[in-house]
Amino acid sequence: MFTTYLRRELTNRKKQTVIIAIGMALAIALVIIVSSISSGVKAAQSSVLESVYGVGTDITVTKTATASSSKPPSFDFGSGSGSSSGSSGKTNLSQSTLSVQRGTSTMAASTVTKVANTSGVAAATGVLQLTENSFSGSVSSGSSSGTSGSSSSGSSSSGTTGSGTSGSGQSTDGGPAGGFGGGSFSVDQITVEGIATSSTTVGPLTSAEVTKGRALRASDAGKDVVVLDTTYAKTESKTVGDTITIGDTTFTVVGIVASTSSSSSTASDMYIPLDTAQELSGETGKVTSVYVSATSSSDVSSIKTALEKKLTKATVSTEADLASSVSGSLSTASSLVSNLGTWLSIVVLAAAFLIAILFTISGVSRRTREFGTLKAIGWSNGRITRQVAGESFVQGIIGGVVGAIAGLVGILVINVIAPTISASASSSTSAGGPGGAGPGSAATAAAGSGAANGAASAAGRAASSATEVVLHAPVTVEIIVVAIGLAITGGLLSGVFGGWRASRLRPAAALRSVA
């Protein structure tokens, strides 16, 4: 009886059923698409952050930067460091320095032990993030003749103090001194990361895979071995077994790694044993960052609070904190989905519910004689309410199913188009820390006698490397179930209001009305 009556009423009122179902379908489709895009944006943010500090890293600990940590690199020629040579009127200068990344402060390696002993911490490892700045260039000497008497060509010698360049000439017969005729200089910046060779569960290389050779292992401690990022290895035409110079020390390439995320590179150009990095840079017993893995994701907040109390001079960041530093169009997409997308879904869903309720109540008002007759033959208020609610329930199911199909089609279209969004792990203008200069960062300056100053300044302006991330909108069963559940909820809600309105009709008044 119930099913037969339900089918007949839905068939006789096709227009109302279609309007309610379409309204629900549009709302549900929008909810599904926005939810999927939101999941895709979060996945994109995670892939960018993975290239910075590694998979499984829940918290990072760094020391708050000081003014001294923001000083640009300097080069000193003529004091026994660097090298110079001259031929054909030119003097060649070159020097490399290995130091902590600009804008980064160091902390005692014992901090790693303090962090590891904190309740809820599953693993912790320290890293030393360094930058190798290589200065190279040449200056040429010039000559001039005096205005009276005769003058011989000036012979020049060169020297550099700090990052400035100077030259002197010798002249005879009162002629003016000859000086440097000009020169060009370049500064190449390479990122080097010292990592604990015994740590494999947390850290920058947990988000990387070995493509050639092997990863660093415990037996490599103290040795001059290096693992290269695949992008840097290709740029420098290096492979396993080759040698490379870092800070005037020759290293053997034992492996090449690539990020597990196809859209980004690893955090540094090179990876060497932590103790070796400390010795080369003169930062013995120091680290720049501590990467932390929590026993449970629910413990991250409490661990952060505990570490902030224990390490008062350190900055403790979670993945959520670092996600806010992701810039580019990915950041814009994240804000759009979080704000406009979410509120738009809520508004459209509320509008769909309201339309369903109004149409159901309006339909009940037009069925006054019908419900009056049913009451006259013995139908109870509860039975009439269940009948109206059953009709709305079916309309909600129809709207939910159609909306789910429309949402899946929308997601399919997005994934076929595969839009790319730009992302950078930091908007900072100084290298260092998570989101520092990416692989292969370089700064070059060319000028006259003051070129060294410009080159050194350029070295300190390492911009974060941008990457293109393909936005993929995932489909999950949970999203579909929740969306259909919302449609059914809307149908039941409209059915309750409509049934309540129908149950308040009095048989006598209903029978006197005209349908």
Side-chain angles (χ1 to χ4, degrees):
M1 176 69 178
F2 176 81
T3 305
T4 303
Y5 194 80
L6 178 65
R7 185 176 63 254
R8 191 196 72 181
E9 292 303 320
L10 291 174
T11 303
N12 292 340
R13 291 170 176 79
K14 292 181 180 179
K15 184 177 180 180
Q16 175 178 317
T17 300
V18 169
I19 292 176
I20 293 177
I22 289 177
M24 288 289 184
L26 291 176
I28 298 309
L30 182 61
V31 169
I32 291 175
I33 292 174
V34 169
S35 298
S36 295
I37 292 177
S38 178
S39 298
V41 169
K42 290 180 180 179
Q45 284 181 333
S46 296
S47 68
V48 174
L49 294 178
E50 283 173 9
S51 68
V52 176
Y53 57 80
V55 175
T57 300
D58 300 304
I59 299 172
T60 57
V61 179
T62 56
K63 187 176 180 180
T64 304
T66 61
S68 60
S69 64
S70 297
K71 292 181 179 179
S74 62
F75 301 91
D76 186 6
F77 295 96
S79 61
S81 60
S83 63
S84 63
S85 62
S87 63
S88 303
K90 287 188 177 182
T91 300
N92 299 319
L93 303 173
S94 65
Q95 189 182 55
S96 294
T97 62
L98 187 65
S99 58
V100 173
Q101 288 186 352
R102 185 182 176 190
T104 303
S105 295
T106 59
M107 50 189 167
S110 58
T111 305
V112 180
T113 303
K114 293 180 181 179
V115 172
N117 292 334
T118 303
S119 177
V121 172
T125 186
V127 301
L128 184 63
Q129 296 158 332
L130 304 173
T131 300
E132 182 183 47
N133 295 290
S134 300
F135 176 96
S136 62
S138 63
V139 291
S140 58
S141 58
S143 62
S144 60
S145 58
T147 56
S148 64
S150 62
S151 174
S152 63
S153 300
S155 61
S156 66
S157 61
S158 64
T160 305
T161 302
S163 56
T165 304
S166 63
S168 63
Q170 297 177 343
S171 64
T172 61
D173 299 328
F180 289 127
S184 63
F185 303 88
S186 66
V187 175
D188 292 332
Q189 188 178 73
I190 301 170
T191 53
V192 182
E193 194 150 353
I195 61 176
T197 56
S198 58
S199 178
T200 57
T201 58
V202 64
L205 286 187
T206 54
S207 60
E209 58 183 0
V210 178
T211 58
K212 291 182 181 180
R214 61 175 178 84
L216 294 179
R217 52 197 181 197
S219 59
D220 291 327
K223 295 183 178 179
D224 298 332
V225 292
V226 61
V227 170
L228 304 181
D229 172 77
T230 183
T231 303
Y232 179 76
K234 289 179 180 178
T235 302
E236 299 297 320
S237 301
K238 295 292 184 179
T239 187
V240 175
D242 290 348
T243 58
I244 193 167
T245 302
I246 305 175
D248 297 326
T249 300
T250 301
F251 281 73
T252 301
V253 179
V254 296
I256 296 175
V257 295
S259 173
T260 53
S261 172
S262 60
S263 59
S264 59
S265 301
T266 62
S268 296
D269 297 318
M270 307 179 188
Y271 300 88
I272 61 178
L274 178 59
D275 49 358
T276 302
Q278 292 170 334
E279 182 180 354
L280 286 179
S281 61
E283 300 290 346
T284 304
K286 300 289 185 180
V287 295
T288 52
S289 300
V290 180
Y291 295 149
V292 185
S293 174
T295 303
S296 172
S297 58
S298 60
D299 296 333
V300 172
S301 179
S302 60
I303 294 173
K304 177 181 178 180
T305 302
L307 290 177
E308 287 175 337
K309 292 180 179 179
K310 184 181 292 187
L311 308 171
T312 56
K313 295 183 179 181
T315 300
V316 183
S317 304
T318 64
E319 182 177 348
D321 298 328
L322 294 177
S324 63
S325 71
V326 176
S327 58
S329 59
L330 175 58
S331 177
T332 304
S334 178
S335 299
L336 188 64
V337 171
S338 300
N339 299 319
L340 179 60
T342 301
W343 283 108
L344 183 61
S345 297
I346 293 174
V347 170
V348 172
L349 196 61
F353 284 6
L354 183 61
I355 290 174
I357 292 172
L358 293 177
F359 267 87
T360 301
I361 293 177
S362 176
V364 168
S365 300
R366 292 195 299 270
R367 297 164 67 183
T368 302
R369 173 177 290 185
E370 175 187 338
F371 291 129
T373 303
L374 292 175
K375 280 193 171 186
I377 63 175
W379 278 42
S380 64
N381 288 339
R383 187 174 181 181
I384 291 177
T385 300
R386 288 192 297 272
Q387 185 66 45
V388 176
E391 295 172 9
S392 299
F393 176 77
V394 173
Q395 291 168 347
I397 291 179
I398 295 173
V401 172
V402 174
I405 295 174
L408 292 174
V409 171
I411 293 173
L412 178 62
V413 171
I414 292 174
N415 290 335
V416 169
I417 296 175
T420 57
I421 48 183
S422 63
S424 177
S426 175
S427 58
S428 173
T429 58
S430 63
S441 298
T444 304
S449 61
N453 279 326
S457 176
R461 296 193 301 268
S464 54
S465 58
T467 183
E468 295 293 325
V469 182
V470 177
L471 180 61
H472 174 74
V475 179
T476 61
V477 176
E478 290 79 7
I479 293 177
I480 304 298
V481 171
V482 169
I484 295 179
L486 287 174
I488 293 175
T489 300
L492 289 175
L493 193 62
S494 64
V496 168
F497 277 97
W500 174 79
R501 177 72 176 84
S503 66
R504 289 176 59 86
L505 294 174
R506 290 179 294 180
L511 291 173
R512 286 196 301 268
S513 67
V514 178

